[in-house]
Amino acid sequence: MKLYFDPFVIPFSIGFLILLGVLFYKYIRWYRYLPKSDKKLIRQGLFTWKSLLAMREIFYESLLHRKIFKVNPRLGYMHMSLAFGWFLLIVVGKVETLFYLDDPLNPPYVPVFFRFYFPDEPLARATYINFAFFMDFLLLFVLTGLAMAFMKRMKPSTLGMKRTTKHTLGDRVALSALWFIFPLRLLAESLTCGIYQSGSFLTGTLGKFLATFLPVNDLAYPAWWAYSLALGSFFIAMPFSRYMHILTEIPLIFLRQYGLKANESYTSYSDFQVQTCSRCGICIDPCQLNTAAGITDVQSVYVLRDHREKKTCRSKVENCLLCGRCENVCPVGIELNTLRISLRNNNISESSDRFSYLPVNHNPIANAKVGYFAGCMSHLTPGITHSMEKIMEASGTDYWFADRDGGICCGRPLKMAGQLDSAAKLIKYNQELFITNEITTLVTSCPICLKVFKEDYKLKGIRVLHHSQFILELIQSKKINLTKNNEVFTYHDPCELGRGSGIFDEPREVISNIGSLIEPASNRENALCCGGSLGNLQISNEQQQQIAQALHNEFDAVKADAIITACPLCKKTLAHNNQTRVADLAEIVASSLHIDHIKSKAKADIKKEQDITIF
């Protein structure tokens, strides 16, 4: 085997070896501290179809950046050209090297510096020209993306962004090296092609042009040194910069396919997700704290950056609506809300006897199979609970009002504050209460309660429904009849119900049975937060109102007769200083119950009582 070597490859080789060493250390450390349950999931999924699904996702998201394309096509092209273009340069370069060397064991730097070692290969000239054309095309593809990245840094609006991220020192070093890599490759290859009159449409043309007025023989070798230094510098800086995401996103996709999830307790997998953040800045513009309240330093990208740099600021961690708008657009799929809660849980102090007043044992209270849990905020907006009682009675549902007859807070507000131990006590209390009373369906009016019931309560054999789902089932089964009128409604998707629980269609179907619906500009996954989130522990009343006003402006443009929502907290926030009527879904259903249905139900109840009396 011929050893292709020149001293200029040393910077590249050193950087490459340092990168491999740091990666090996980081990956082993992350795996070592994973919970046993996560390690088991990895072992079970490694040699299954899940790995194939992961590879498909890597192609779509890590190379083509499909999610970014959907949010911002210009930004999508920029990321795709850099990622997919560089990947193809490596792959095609390796194929080209194998074609000429017929030696799969050649050093890794040979394909990278191929034009230095083979400036004008005389054998199979036509094939060489084909390779040269393809490699020039790919280099141009990458350079266009690099130019767009430069424009994004100088003027974000050129790529459809209002703001972009701020860089740390490590980011600046890595970015500077990255910006030099491909122009220096173009220069080194072009100067070499200028000497040998080779190359294709890009390097060949530029080389011939440079040869007309530059000493290409003297400049080519220093250009290869500069190219190697840029590559080596980037490799060394990469693990200590935002560009570490390139080397963590791919393993993260595999881990996610195997079933690993972040939880509210910070784990090694949580740290892996933090390292995967590319700081692309896509999460900045959707954040209403930024766009409506003028708070510009608490977005997820900055919190993860600070945590990565061991500069976590608790006030920043707590200043978040937990609305999920950033998580919805994150191209990497990082569980941003869960990570934020886990960071809040760090170093928090909780009293061990805080809920000592709760009884240890439960005695059955209900005989009904349906349990209704209004939630704390529904009790503060009694129109919702009264409406649900009216709907239950009109439908003939035998139900048990759980948090009027024994239930307590669902525990999610404490979880959102990072007080996981306290939340666990409330969850255990309610869980035992529901199981003891042998209900088979649990209905709640609060999306916050719904999310924690589904994700944290172990309610085997108990269906958990939001009242929008339950009401729709009553309509479809003809247990209630509604009077349709000419009113025009617009609907607000609550964060925890829509983005948080994936419930979008049921409330709209219910509304369609009562009146007509006009959508606001931002709806479904992109719906705006009302600003009244229990997740934000820092926001002022004034800032909350600024966020709410932005939502009011959207609804004012719709000009509907009423604004409908399906969350008591959203209703309370939207109703403040709003001239348009605001109602919960349950309230408009209760007010639209067909009078004949109510009368027939009342007669049936009287007949039932008479039958019981006679018996």
Side-chain angles (χ1 to χ4, degrees), residues 68 70 80 132 161 190 248 313 336 342 362 370 440 498-499:
I68 301 182
K70 291 179 180 179
M80 181 189 70
M161 299 181 70
S190 298
T248 52
C313 176
L336 296 171
S342 69
H362 291 293
V370 175
T440 57
R499 282 184 296 272

Side-chain angles (χ1 to χ4, degrees), residues 340-368:
R340 178 91 62 158
I341 292 172
S342 69
L343 292 175
R344 291 179 179 183
N345 184 46
N346 285 351
N347 302 318
I348 199 166
S349 177
E350 299 185 58
S351 173
S352 59
D353 60 350
R354 188 172 178 181
F355 299 103
S356 57
Y357 65 89
L358 295 175
V360 177
N361 298 315
H362 291 293
N363 292 316
I365 302 171
N367 294 316

Side-chain angles (χ1 to χ4, degrees), residues 310-600:
K310 296 181 170 54
K311 299 176 182 177
T312 304
C313 176
R314 188 161 188 85
S315 61
K316 285 186 181 181
V317 173
E318 293 181 344
N319 200 346
C320 176
L321 298 169
L322 293 180
C323 66
R325 281 176 62 83
C326 59
E327 188 171 318
N328 181 56
V329 298
C330 177
V332 187
I334 300 173
E335 298 168 83
L336 296 171
N337 278 0
T338 305
L339 284 177
R340 178 91 62 158
I341 292 172
S342 69
L343 292 175
R344 291 179 179 183
N345 184 46
N346 285 351
N347 302 318
I348 199 166
S349 177
E350 299 185 58
S351 173
S352 59
D353 60 350
R354 188 172 178 181
F355 299 103
S356 57
Y357 65 89
L358 295 175
V360 177
N361 298 315
H362 291 293
N363 292 316
I365 302 171
N367 294 316
K369 295 299 180 183
V370 175
Y372 173 61
F373 191 97
C376 303
M377 291 308 301
S378 296
H379 282 291
L380 294 176
T381 49
I384 297 175
T385 57
H386 295 333
S387 296
M388 281 303 297
E389 288 184 290
K390 185 176 179 181
I391 293 167
M392 293 283 195
E393 291 167 3
S395 64
T397 302
D398 189 13
Y399 72 101
W400 161 55
F401 200 147
D403 53 337
R404 183 177 63 191
D405 301 328
I408 55 175
C409 175
C410 68
R412 181 156 171 78
L414 286 172
K415 282 191 64 177
M416 295 168 86
Q419 300 185 41
L420 304 185
D421 291 340
S422 297
K425 290 182 174 65
L426 300 186
I427 290 172
K428 182 179 179 182
Y429 177 88
N430 282 326
Q431 178 183 307
E432 291 177 354
L433 181 68
F434 299 151
I435 293 172
T436 300
N437 281 277
E438 297 182 346
I439 59 173
T440 57
T441 300
L442 178 61
V443 181
T444 181
S445 293
C446 178
I448 295 172
C449 299
L450 177 79
K451 191 168 177 64
V452 74
F453 288 158
K454 282 191 167 185
E455 295 180 358
D456 297 280
Y457 282 63
K458 297 175 182 177
L459 299 174
K460 189 175 181 180
I462 299 178
R463 281 200 316 156
V464 179
L465 301 175
H466 182 255
H467 72 224
S468 61
Q469 297 172 300
F470 182 72
I471 290 170
L472 182 60
E473 287 188 2
L474 294 179
I475 295 171
Q476 292 174 339
S477 61
K478 309 295 184 183
K479 290 186 177 179
I480 57 172
N481 296 322
L482 303 179
T483 301
K484 191 165 185 176
N485 53 50
N486 295 322
E487 277 194 285
V488 177
F489 301 108
T490 188
Y491 176 68
H492 170 247
D493 289 279
C495 301
E496 296 277 34
L497 187 67
R499 282 184 296 272
S501 300
I503 297 174
F504 298 105
D505 295 328
E506 291 89 333
R508 289 172 167 80
E509 288 188 46
V510 172
I511 292 172
S512 68
N513 282 272
I514 300 170
S516 57
L517 176 67
I518 299 180
E519 297 281 1
S522 302
N523 63 359
R524 293 183 176 267
E525 292 88 349
N526 298 316
L528 296 177
C529 176
C530 69
S533 168
L534 296 176
N536 198 311
L537 309 179
Q538 296 287 329
I539 194 171
S540 67
N541 289 333
E542 181 183 358
Q543 290 167 328
Q544 186 184 77
Q545 286 304 309
Q546 289 172 335
I547 293 170
Q549 186 58 50
L551 186 54
H552 289 327
N553 295 340
E554 279 209 355
F555 288 133
D556 288 344
V558 172
K559 301 187 184 303
D561 297 320
I563 300 168
I564 308 302
T565 187
C567 168
L569 188 57
C570 293
K571 182 203 168 184
K572 196 173 184 66
T573 306
L574 289 171
H576 185 69
N577 293 332
N578 198 335
Q579 300 301 316
T580 307
R581 179 166 66 98
V582 179
D584 183 85
L585 187 70
E587 292 175 312
I588 64 162
V589 169
S591 64
S592 301
L593 287 168
H594 200 287
I595 190 67
D596 292 336
H597 182 84
I598 297 174
K599 287 180 179 178
S600 62

Side-chain angles (χ1 to χ4, degrees), residues 270-312:
S270 306
D271 193 54
F272 203 85
Q273 290 209 49
V274 170
Q275 297 289 337
T276 307
C277 175
S278 66
R279 299 182 203 164
C280 62
I282 289 177
C283 64
I284 297 175
D285 290 346
C287 178
Q288 292 170 254
L289 292 176
N290 169 39
T291 57
I295 304 172
T296 61
D297 62 346
V298 301
Q299 284 68 43
S300 293
V301 63
Y302 298 132
V303 169
L304 296 190
R305 179 200 64 190
D306 290 350
H307 180 69
R308 192 167 167 173
E309 300 291 327
K310 296 181 170 54
K311 299 176 182 177
T312 304

